Amino acid sequence: MATSSERSPPPFPDSEEQDVLDTEEVANRATDDDDDDGEDLFLSPTNQSLAEMEPTLPPTSQNSDFLIQPPIDIMSDPLIDPIISPEENKPAAEVVSEPSDDFVDLTNNGTDSPDDTGTADSTKDTSEIPLDEPSDEFFDILGSESGAPQEEVVVADVTVEASKSEDTDPPLDDETGSKVEQAKETSTDPIINITGDLPASDTQQPPTTNKIADPLLDLFSDTPAVDAKKPIQPIPDLFEDEGSDLFTEPRQTKPAKQPQKSLFGEPDEDLFAEPLGATSKKTISQEPKTVTPKPSGDGGDKGANQREPADIFTEEAVITAPTVSKTPGATSKTNGVHSEEDTDIFAEATVELSLDSPHNERKKDMTAKPSASAPSLAAAAAAASLTKPQSAALEELEEEEEEEEEDDKFEINVSVTNPEKIGDGMNAYMAYKVSTETTLPMFRTKTFTVRRRFSDFLGLYEKLSEKHGPNGFIVPPPPEKSILGMTKVKVGKEDSSSTDFVERRRGALERYLQRVVNHPSLIQDPDVREFLEREELPRAVNTQALSGAGFLKMINKATDAVSKMTIKMNESDVWFEEKLQEVEAADQLFRKLHTLVESLVVHRKELSLNTASFAKSAAMLGSAEDNTALSRALSQLAEVEDKMEQLHQEQAANDTFSFAELIADFIRLLGAVRGSFDHRMKAWQRWQDAQSMLQKKRETEAKLLWANKPDKLQLAKEEIVEWEAKVTQYERDFERVSATVRKEVIRFEKERTKNFKRQIIKYMESLLQSQQQVMKYWEAFLPEAKAIA
Amino acid sequence: PIRSVSVDLNNDASLLIDIPDALCERDKVKFTVHTKTTLSSFQKPEFSVPRQHEDFIWLHDTLVETEDYAGLIIPPAPPKPDFEGPREKMHKLGEGEATMTKEEYTKMKQELEAEYLAVFKKTVQVHEIFLQRLSSHPILNKDRNFQIFLEYDQDLSVRRKNAKEMFGGFFKNMVKSADEVLISGVKEVDDFFEQEKTFLLDYYSKIKDSTAKAEKMTRSHKNIADDYIRISATLNITMSFVSLQKVEGRVASDQELKLTELLRYYMRDIQAAKDLLYRRARALADYENSNKALDKARLKSKDIPQAEEHQQQCLQKFDKLSESGKKELTSFKGRRVVAFRKNLIEMAELEIKHAKVRSSIQLYYICFIMCTNELQYAWGICKILCEQI
């Protein structure tokens, strides 16, 4: 059972309830409610460990809060944190006298002085939008998003107007700049421009605006570069230059970003992106890299009017020091973190920072929500990874990703396309085209395509999770087999639900593969290469037996049993404990969200149907109407409603593919995260067992010594040596797994934030576009209605 | 306040009626009917009286039953106040309270309260419109019962119809529809009415269908708004969902107000016009029967003067009915077109406005999620936006 759990695809909403029930049976626990049981599963262990190990921690009430109020933490944390961390930075840097007011000031200043910052202005504009016409320009922007590159120009202009009312000259060079840039992603570009501008303009403001700029500046990785440049620019030029600077600067900074990237990006990046095995040498070479920029950053700040960028470092510098020294002292037997190289200490520091820093307390105070303290884990992740997400512009993210890939010799893109039904009847199966584009030297060619069936994907997962799961890696899970969905496909029903199913699955498989190949360690696995490259793959036999709901159920039972058993370990590392709780809470949240979004989809489809039937009916009414103009208007109305129906349908698809599926992915991934925690516990268990075995052997030795049996004594001594080696080995294993899990979880959270943000934006954009359409349709209808006489 | 249904009222300042206030007591809604007039037939120039829904029904019924008004389209009676929808939802919400987070529950409750308020307002409006239609009608506004309804400052204490009468009414309706089939056999003598009959019958069935479909559509819209509430309550960060839900809810209620209510009202109005046609057809049948009776009397040379007189009366009645009916139906047509025009324009404008607001919320949301991770700030912006709407 224990072994099978290693390759468990994590549970999914559908199977969940049964599973929980089953676990209940296994555990002989009497609980009336499924949900409660789920909570209990995780509540009880945590309580224990809390009580045993950490008497200082606030007791149960806090725990239950995590579970009762999950929404606040999980979702908000990675995103809200940035606000708080800058605040925290300031006391650390000891520059600003009144740090706590910032948030308030931010908004106040913004609205009071219109020319202060871009943000402030947009605040103003926002409030005006519904009232006057600017909204129209506004909408043009939106229209252009999907349009041709030239239209981006308009976007740029309007943005300038929006963010700088006195700034009327159209920045020409930027337009070209943006044209070049948006080659990558047209739809997001205009917004990126805005994003880019805000920080840029902020920095150029006279010192009075510092306070407003503060939180923002910290958010943007651009700023340090901008700051560094600042002294060069004569101050009087501020306003003259602004127009062009606004736009050019973000681009100019690009070359300059390289060093800056290593300031911010790399400490995290390399730590987590680097395959574990490869660390030792590289870390050494990175160490200077991360350190050297500090002085230059500080110097630049002193020279200029700002000290924001310094915050980031000072914070690290100030806080790392104590924590690093604290860790070894406080935790004697955990984690392997301190036993690793410097890099890890650094990582530890970043993490500890948000665990132990004043930040927590303040957060607790500020938002009297009890959950706020736990989530600071997410904060930890955020803090660790935020330097990047903070930079926020999607494009930048992507750029950095690309850069990152380049740095790590990571260049691979996988797509899953052309789902095709092979065979007939119940033996039919779906095959997919898996195309790879890569510059990685490990592959023989740059592009290649193979055909894979669904069970091959499952087979790959099993191999990977068998190999890498026990080491603490989060192996991305594939979508689970769906008997119902496949049966429909097999029967050959060509209805929308089966095409929906196929498309959903194709998307899920693609995202799964992308996650695998983008994982720095997993891509090195020969099985992955084989999966992508080899023409004929040996049939993955065992997946047949293992697929389906029964399999899932069994696995879940096993996993839960294991976790229940092993979770009793004296968790000496708060980080893991809190993370696990966080994962649990996130899991529940996402499950709930998934149900809600599914119901949204259902209702949207309903609306689409009802709109269609109203459209028909309105057309009939139009034909019955004897007033010609009214008759025409009614049939126009019918047409509008027809188009609306289309929009609702598209939106339902959007709800499904960009929102519901995203959530489903996360639920699966959270299961995998939980799996990695389980593996860590197993490693711990093994170490503990070895220790008690060693203890026994020593006792035996003592007895033998007492009984004076030298012949057996020799054997016992050998055994002790053997077990001592094992204990050392297992301890090291445990430390290694712990370190990996930690890295993996941080990597996962970083990915999640990035992903989630991107998806939400994508989703919002789809909503936005459909609103554009709605507006267009009704605007076309309006004259018809007015023509009724 | 926006009128839910515009009924082209040639606002005559001599008799102005409104319902400024209403009180909901359990199942009863008490309306305060306020009148301002320059007509000498009233004792005072301004007064208010308390009235219940049943009083409105009584007034409507007496008008329908008045022989003299047979040639008029009697404005349709306001529908019975129906708070069942929101009430039932509230009940369900109470039952489901355990499965929701506190926040979710509060939000849902607020939304329901808003819905309840909307239904209440709508109820007041349909009652008001009924009275305004009467007051703007050149003949009906002089009706004695109408004046009593407006002026009598005590409870009218209209006796509610007892079961037998209710059944009678029901029976009458049955007879009426059976009659209708019968009378449709009568050969129409006037092309105008022939056309009008075909038109109204066809139109009625179409508008009835459209009303049902529009109601369904509006309901789906509300469901989506509810989904948004729940999602936003679950997902604290998606502030934009909160605003979206508000807008979505508004789209639904505006659609309800501008489209569904319009269709619903004209469905009833067309029924009233159909009733007029029915009464006329009945008079025509009476006239033909009286002709036959006269022929018979002449044949038998018995009671000829009485038969002649009856025949004359029937003819007169029929002619009078036809004349006023023609006028009424023509004016009805104009009224309908104007009302449709107004409501369709308003609806289109509201849809555009909502789409704009939604877009701006979404755009700002996108901007802010991209340029800050700081959602509280973005939320502040959205809030400002929402308050401006």
Side-chain angles (χ1 to χ4, degrees):
Chain A
M1 271 209 164
T3 41
S4 60
S5 76
E6 282 166 19
R7 45 174 114 103
S8 61
F12 200 66
D14 317 61
S15 52
E16 159 80 347
E17 282 177 5
Q18 302 165 325
D19 299 330
V20 175
L21 277 171
D22 282 333
T23 345
E24 211 175 272
E25 287 162 22
V26 169
N28 285 334
R29 270 155 137 259
T31 4
D32 11 2
D33 198 328
D34 293 5
D35 294 20
D36 282 350
D37 193 32
E39 280 172 31
D40 280 352
L41 279 179
F42 300 99
L43 245 182
S44 50
T46 20
N47 284 345
Q48 267 168 324
S49 51
L50 266 178
E52 285 167 34
M53 273 313 289
E54 295 281 310
T56 42
L57 269 184
T60 28
S61 67
Q62 212 191 346
N63 282 320
S64 55
D65 283 338
F66 300 152
L67 294 160
I68 292 161
Q69 290 211 318
I72 306 126
D73 333 334
I74 320 302
M75 301 305 306
S76 55
D77 253 289
L79 294 155
I80 286 172
D81 262 318
I83 335 158
I84 295 148
S85 45
E87 274 179 50
E88 181 202 335
N89 289 345
K90 263 167 260 154
E94 289 174 47
V95 189
V96 177
S97 47
E98 27 166 350
S100 57
D101 291 344
D102 264 42
F103 190 69
V104 184
D105 277 48
L106 197 144
T107 23
N108 282 350
N109 280 9
T111 31
D112 288 347
S113 45
D115 51 335
D116 257 0
T117 56
T119 358
D121 264 317
S122 42
T123 323
K124 249 184 69 194
D125 282 59
T126 328
S127 51
E128 280 165 13
I129 291 271
L131 292 177
D132 22 336
E133 284 320 291
S135 49
D136 280 337
E137 294 167 68
F138 202 50
F139 298 113
D140 290 345
I141 302 176
L142 304 168
S144 66
E145 262 178 31
S146 52
Q150 317 138 285
E151 283 177 79
E152 301 294 331
V153 176
V154 183
V155 179
D157 285 352
V158 179
T159 335
V160 175
E161 276 165 21
S163 58
K164 287 268 155 205
S165 41
E166 74 260 76
D167 215 5
T168 39
D169 47 339
L172 280 168
D173 24 354
D174 321 328
E175 289 164 16
T176 48
S178 65
K179 268 185 206 165
V180 177
E181 285 249 351
Q182 20 118 296
K184 273 163 207 157
E185 245 207 60
T186 351
S187 58
T188 45
D189 251 292
I191 296 145
I192 284 137
N193 287 347
I194 302 170
T195 341
D197 303 340
L198 296 183
S201 59
D202 283 348
T203 20
Q204 284 165 0
Q205 293 304 319
T208 37
T209 60
N210 285 353
K211 287 247 283 144
I212 312 156
D214 270 0
L216 282 168
L217 278 174
D218 279 72
L219 297 178
F220 296 100
S221 53
D222 268 340
T223 35
V226 175
D227 274 1
K229 241 190 253 167
K230 236 238 124 176
I232 307 164
Q233 284 174 355
I235 292 163
D237 280 355
L238 269 183
F239 286 93
E240 276 179 31
D241 285 353
E242 239 161 3
S244 53
D245 279 353
L246 276 178
F247 290 87
T248 46
E249 210 127 358
R251 261 140 227 127
Q252 283 167 3
T253 46
K254 255 200 223 148
K257 225 151 81 191
Q258 228 61 356
Q260 171 208 332
K261 222 207 110 207
S262 58
L263 293 188
F264 291 89
E266 288 200 8
D268 312 321
E269 216 99 297
D270 286 83
L271 278 180
F272 307 117
E274 232 26 81
L276 184 60
T279 26
S280 55
K281 277 193 180 175
K282 276 187 187 171
T283 37
I284 293 159
S285 63
Q286 274 157 22
E287 194 53 18
K289 234 201 218 166
T290 44
V291 179
T292 37
K294 281 187 195 175
S296 75
D298 279 320
D301 296 324
K302 274 166 204 158
N305 52 352
Q306 317 287 7
R307 71 275 151 202
E308 282 80 35
D311 291 349
I312 291 166
F313 296 107
T314 35
E315 163 161 295
E316 276 180 15
V318 168
I319 295 171
T320 27
T323 33
V324 170
S325 58
K326 207 178 7 180
T327 345
T331 60
S332 52
K333 55 170 174 176
T334 24
N335 274 355
V337 173
H338 43 273
S339 70
E340 294 256 349
E341 272 104 23
D342 302 41
T343 7
D344 280 318
I345 292 173
F346 201 71
E348 166 89 354
T350 2
V351 173
E352 286 286 325
L353 165 163
S354 34
L355 280 175
D356 294 340
S357 61
H359 176 145
N360 271 337
E361 275 83 345
R362 181 162 329 157
K363 206 174 169 191
K364 250 185 252 170
D365 295 349
M366 272 170 50
T367 61
K369 287 168 192 164
S371 44
S373 58
S376 51
L377 286 172
S385 61
L386 259 179
T387 33
K388 245 208 312 169
Q390 273 169 345
S391 71
L394 182 62
E395 187 193 343
E396 238 165 71
L397 281 178
E398 274 163 13
E399 257 169 49
E400 277 182 49
E401 254 173 77
E402 277 161 35
E403 281 173 48
E404 179 186 330
E405 279 167 13
E406 267 170 57
D407 289 352
D408 302 339
K409 293 280 168 270
F410 242 79
E411 189 73 66
I412 186 158
N413 194 16
V414 198
S415 61
V416 176
T417 50
N418 297 23
E420 193 188 337
K421 195 173 111 178
I422 309 255
D424 283 312
M426 288 321 277
N427 287 324
Y429 63 90
M430 295 299 291
Y432 304 83
K433 196 168 125 188
V434 178
S435 320
T436 315
E437 268 181 277
T438 180
T439 57
L440 287 176
M442 68 168 94
F443 293 100
R444 267 166 274 153
T445 44
K446 285 200 170 173
T447 55
F448 40 89
T449 308
V450 287
R451 270 202 101 65
R452 292 285 177 260
R453 54 182 292 180
F454 182 67
S455 54
D456 295 336
F457 288 86
L458 285 187
L460 175 65
Y461 169 73
E462 271 167 48
K463 284 181 197 154
L464 291 178
S465 64
E466 216 166 307
K467 269 186 275 183
H468 301 280
N471 291 328
F473 284 102
I474 300 173
V475 181
E480 36 302 282
K481 270 205 171 181
S482 159
I483 291 169
L484 187 75
M486 251 332 264
T487 310
K488 267 190 186 168
V489 175
K490 279 176 181 168
V491 169
K493 259 187 155 182
E494 288 287 323
D495 67 345
S496 69
S497 75
S498 84
T499 28
D500 229 46
F501 169 77
V502 170
E503 174 53 24
R504 270 194 192 215
R505 171 168 282 180
R506 187 207 60 75
L509 286 175
E510 185 171 272
R511 290 191 303 274
Y512 152 69
L513 263 196
Q514 278 165 353
R515 286 200 175 94
V516 170
V517 301
N518 284 320
H519 193 290
S521 307
L522 296 183
I523 183 66
Q524 309 287 342
D525 192 287
D527 280 325
V528 175
R529 236 180 302 168
E530 191 178 62
F531 180 89
L532 295 176
E533 252 182 340
R534 198 165 142 181
E535 204 58 55
E536 285 296 320
L537 207 61
R539 187 95 163 70
V541 190
N542 44 351
T543 61
Q544 281 186 317
L546 289 171
S547 60
F551 162 70
L552 270 180
K553 210 190 279 179
M554 185 186 79
I555 292 306
N556 286 328
K557 221 189 280 179
T559 331
D560 285 339
V562 166
S563 57
K564 223 179 270 171
M565 177 184 71
T566 49
I567 206 163
K568 284 180 190 135
M569 71 189 278
N570 300 340
E571 182 58 270
S572 47
D573 194 327
V574 195
W575 190 89
F576 284 102
E577 195 179 296
E578 293 189 345
K579 261 300 175 241
L580 185 62
Q581 284 180 2
E582 204 191 311
V583 167
E584 290 304 324
D587 189 54
Q588 287 201 356
L589 173 79
F590 278 122
R591 274 166 205 276
K592 188 171 178 197
L593 205 57
H594 193 262
T595 333
L596 288 175
V597 175
E598 291 287 344
S599 110
L600 178 67
V601 171
V602 169
H603 285 146
R604 191 95 72 182
K605 282 180 179 160
E606 242 171 58
L607 176 63
S608 165
L609 279 179
N610 290 336
T611 310
S613 68
F614 173 72
K616 269 196 205 91
S617 184
M620 296 296 284
L621 185 66
S623 69
E625 175 60 58
D626 61 354
N627 179 297
T628 336
L630 180 53
S631 165
R632 205 181 47 225
L634 284 174
S635 38
Q636 289 292 325
L637 176 68
E639 261 173 53
V640 171
E641 294 292 355
D642 251 340
K643 287 175 190 156
M644 299 292 278
E645 185 240 324
Q646 278 300 313
L647 284 181
H648 292 317
Q649 224 167 49
E650 281 162 27
Q651 199 48 56
N654 255 320
D655 288 338
T656 313
F657 294 118
S658 6
F659 206 40
E661 285 296 273
L662 167 80
I663 294 165
D665 268 14
F666 279 127
I667 295 172
R668 284 187 206 111
L669 278 168
L670 283 171
V673 173
R674 212 155 52 174
S676 75
F677 277 91
D678 286 348
H679 283 301
R680 179 175 165 269
M681 276 173 222
K682 265 186 257 166
W684 185 82
Q685 192 68 50
R686 205 161 51 146
W687 172 36
Q688 294 303 305
D689 289 350
Q691 246 176 352
S692 59
M693 185 57 100
L694 177 62
Q695 191 60 37
K696 264 186 216 155
K697 296 288 174 199
R698 282 195 175 129
E699 279 163 16
T700 324
E701 187 205 17
K703 272 182 206 155
L704 288 170
L705 207 62
W706 191 252
N708 198 12
K709 287 181 178 167
D711 49 331
K712 285 184 182 174
L713 194 63
Q714 188 51 39
L715 189 69
K717 276 202 163 98
E718 275 165 23
E719 274 184 345
I720 286 174
V721 171
E722 185 195 325
W723 279 101
E724 269 171 352
K726 272 186 185 167
V727 167
T728 325
Q729 175 62 41
Y730 291 159
E731 183 177 4
R732 217 177 284 149
D733 281 352
F734 171 67
E735 279 162 3
R736 187 173 43 84
V737 171
S738 293
T740 311
V741 168
R742 188 184 283 249
K743 275 181 204 165
E744 284 282 288
V745 168
I746 290 169
R747 183 180 179 276
F748 162 75
E749 274 168 349
K750 203 168 76 181
E751 290 284 312
R752 183 179 74 177
T753 315
K754 216 159 62 181
N755 247 309
F756 210 83
K757 207 156 133 178
R758 190 182 305 157
Q759 280 307 115
I760 290 266
I761 286 169
K762 212 172 127 198
Y763 178 66
M764 280 292 159
E765 273 169 358
S766 75
L767 284 179
L768 194 64
Q769 265 168 18
S770 87
Q771 288 315 308
Q772 299 305 301
Q773 294 299 313
V774 170
M775 209 148 56
K776 226 173 74 192
Y777 296 149
W778 286 109
E779 265 164 4
F781 173 74
L782 197 55
E784 288 292 336
K786 282 182 175 158
I788 303 170
Chain B
I2 319 153
R3 289 254 172 278
S4 60
V5 178
S6 107
V7 271
D8 185 30
L9 308 165
N10 40 341
N11 266 328
D12 187 0
S14 63
L15 183 60
L16 295 172
I17 305 167
D18 66 325
I19 301 178
D21 195 21
L23 215 101
C24 192
E25 283 176 356
R26 269 185 248 138
D27 282 349
K28 281 181 186 159
V29 184
K30 282 191 174 167
F31 303 94
T32 308
V33 178
H34 170 252
T35 311
K36 220 174 155 183
T37 182
T38 55
L39 296 179
S40 55
S41 50
F42 292 98
Q43 285 171 351
K44 280 188 270 177
E46 196 172 349
F47 40 86
S48 290
V49 289
R51 293 290 175 261
Q52 291 183 25
H53 173 71
E54 283 71 24
D55 303 332
F56 287 79
I57 299 301
W58 165 81
L59 179 60
H60 176 262
D61 288 352
T62 56
L63 293 174
V64 170
E65 282 154 17
T66 309
E67 271 295 313
D68 289 349
Y69 305 147
L72 304 177
I73 296 175
I74 309 294
K80 195 175 184 325
D82 181 15
F83 299 109
E84 271 314 300
R87 248 183 219 150
E88 200 179 308
K89 267 191 173 174
M90 195 66 101
H91 186 67
K92 263 191 199 159
L93 183 68
E95 278 178 345
E97 193 181 347
T99 65
M100 276 179 243
T101 61
K102 204 178 163 194
E103 197 171 347
E104 217 176 312
Y105 178 76
T106 325
K107 275 186 185 160
M108 293 292 268
K109 206 178 151 201
Q110 277 171 358
E111 202 59 24
L112 268 182
E113 279 161 3
E115 201 182 320
Y116 185 81
L117 201 72
V119 174
F120 187 77
K121 272 186 185 161
K122 216 172 65 191
T123 309
V124 170
Q125 275 176 15
V126 269
H127 285 79
E128 198 177 69
I129 281 163
F130 172 68
L131 297 180
Q132 285 168 345
R133 279 272 307 268
L134 292 179
S135 78
S136 62
H137 195 281
I139 298 167
L140 292 175
N141 68 4
K142 294 184 184 66
D143 180 73
R144 187 68 206 126
N145 284 325
F146 180 44
Q147 295 199 348
I148 289 171
F149 176 92
L150 293 177
E151 204 171 23
Y152 185 66
D153 62 352
Q154 303 294 307
D155 270 351
L156 271 184
S157 57
V158 189
R159 191 174 53 89
R160 256 191 242 180
K161 284 183 174 167
N162 62 34
K164 199 181 152 200
E165 279 170 313
M166 290 279 269
F167 181 73
F170 174 69
F171 187 67
K172 217 164 78 188
N173 274 337
M174 290 276 285
V175 172
K176 196 168 92 180
S177 48
D179 254 13
E180 236 163 313
V181 181
L182 198 78
I183 289 162
S184 63
V186 178
K187 196 178 172 329
E188 183 56 72
V189 285
D190 190 328
D191 270 356
F192 174 84
F193 284 102
E194 184 60 42
Q195 274 171 22
E196 211 46 39
K197 192 175 83 185
T198 335
F199 169 71
L200 285 179
L201 282 174
D202 181 35
Y203 204 83
Y204 182 74
S205 70
K206 299 275 163 60
I207 204 170
K208 198 175 163 191
D209 182 59
S210 294
T211 310
K213 299 283 163 59
E215 270 167 8
K216 257 184 150 178
M217 185 168 73
T218 321
R219 221 173 306 134
S220 319
H221 244 300
K222 279 190 184 143
N223 282 337
I224 289 181
D226 286 352
D227 287 337
Y228 277 144
I229 304 176
R230 300 199 65 173
I231 291 176
S232 71
T234 310
L235 203 82
N236 254 31
I237 60 141
T238 32
M239 312 309 183
S240 92
F241 270 99
V242 182
S243 356
L244 283 184
Q245 153 251 313
K246 275 192 181 156
V247 182
E248 208 64 49
R250 244 168 239 153
V251 169
S253 61
D254 283 339
Q255 229 174 42
E256 165 92 27
L257 213 64
K258 293 296 160 199
L259 189 67
T260 319
E261 267 303 286
L262 174 84
L263 294 172
R264 223 179 266 149
Y265 188 84
Y266 276 91
M267 189 175 92
R268 294 205 311 272
D269 216 7
I270 285 166
Q271 184 57 53
K274 264 170 67 194
D275 287 349
L276 167 65
L277 283 186
Y278 160 73
R279 288 191 297 266
R280 188 186 153 276
R282 173 114 239 158
L284 180 59
D286 285 349
Y287 171 60
E288 276 176 5
N289 286 339
S290 71
N291 268 341
K292 276 177 204 156
L294 182 60
D295 287 347
K296 231 185 207 169
R298 279 189 182 136
L299 212 70
K300 286 181 183 170
S301 306
K302 203 178 148 193
D303 296 335
I304 296 173
Q306 286 101 316
E308 256 174 357
E309 202 194 316
H310 181 63
Q311 188 245 15
Q312 275 308 305
Q313 272 174 1
C314 286
L315 179 64
Q316 237 172 32
K317 190 184 162 194
F318 174 69
D319 282 345
K320 198 183 145 208
L321 244 163
S322 295
E323 193 196 340
S324 78
K326 209 173 266 186
K327 225 191 281 167
E328 288 277 304
L329 286 171
T330 315
S331 96
F332 165 74
K333 195 161 286 187
R335 195 170 67 228
R336 190 185 71 237
V337 171
V338 169
F340 268 84
R341 177 176 194 272
K342 182 167 169 283
N343 275 35
L344 288 179
I345 290 174
E346 281 173 359
M347 186 175 75
E349 278 167 350
L350 283 169
E351 291 274 4
I352 293 169
K353 192 185 117 190
H354 291 317
K356 276 187 184 174
V357 170
R358 270 188 287 196
S359 302
S360 54
I361 291 173
Q362 282 149 8
L363 184 73
Y364 270 90
Y365 188 71
I366 292 172
C367 287
F368 276 91
I369 203 176
M370 288 185 109
C371 68
T372 62
N373 276 358
E374 197 210 282
L375 282 151
Q376 239 145 336
Y377 193 40
W379 176 219
I381 306 270
C382 285
K383 230 169 155 181
I384 297 167
L385 249 168
C386 289
E387 279 153 18
Q388 303 266 342
I389 300 163

